[in-house]
């Protein structure tokens, strides 16, 4: 996994940053620092909370289905490496 470690670290940081950003936006909506869409703070908070959960899910999916299998023998390791490279490609 030596040549893939920088990609893992980069993507992991991106996913964590996305979680932090989503959490900050959610907090700002709940606390009234960002105006609610259509004046419905509860509805807007629901949308922003969904964004937090989506960001958390992406990191969990990345860790459990890609990172956990990198460097393993056989098809799972090869597929994990291919998936990693596909996810990193837009940033290369």
């Amino acid at each position: 996994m030596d040549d893939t470690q920088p990609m893992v670290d980069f993507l992991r940081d991106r996913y964590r940053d996305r979680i932090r950003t989503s959490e900050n936006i959610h907090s700002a909506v709940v606390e009234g620092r960002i105006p609610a869409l259509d004046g419905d703070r509860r509805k807007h908070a629901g949308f922003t909370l969904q964004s937090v959960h989506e960001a958390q899910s992406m990191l969990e999916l990345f860790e459990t289905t890609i990172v956990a299998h990198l460097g393993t023998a056989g098809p799972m390791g090869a597929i994990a490496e291919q998936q990693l490279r596909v996810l990193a490609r837009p940033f290369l």
Side-chain angles (χ1 to χ4, degrees):
M1 189 162 93
D2 293 339
D3 68 325
T4 60
Q5 191 61 50
M7 286 184 277
V8 169
D9 294 340
F10 175 79
L11 289 170
R12 187 178 281 141
D13 288 344
R14 296 272 304 182
Y15 289 129
R16 288 178 179 159
D17 186 52
R18 176 89 184 261
I19 292 169
R20 280 188 299 273
T21 300
S22 296
E23 288 172 337
N24 289 337
I25 292 169
H26 177 68
S27 292
V29 168
V30 169
E31 295 168 5
R33 292 180 282 129
I34 293 177
L37 297 173
D38 299 329
D40 189 343
R41 183 162 317 286
R42 189 173 177 186
K43 184 176 179 182
H44 193 178
F47 289 139
T48 59
L49 185 58
Q50 181 178 345
S51 293
V52 171
H53 293 159
E54 288 171 359
Q56 291 167 336
S57 294
M58 288 302 299
L59 178 59
E60 182 179 354
L61 186 66
F62 176 69
E63 294 289 351
T64 60
T65 64
I66 296 175
V67 177
H69 298 286
L70 286 171
T72 61
M76 287 301 292
I79 291 168
E81 185 171 337
Q82 182 181 23
Q83 290 172 328
L84 174 67
R85 292 182 188 285
V86 168
L87 288 174
R89 187 176 303 138
F91 305 103
L92 299 176

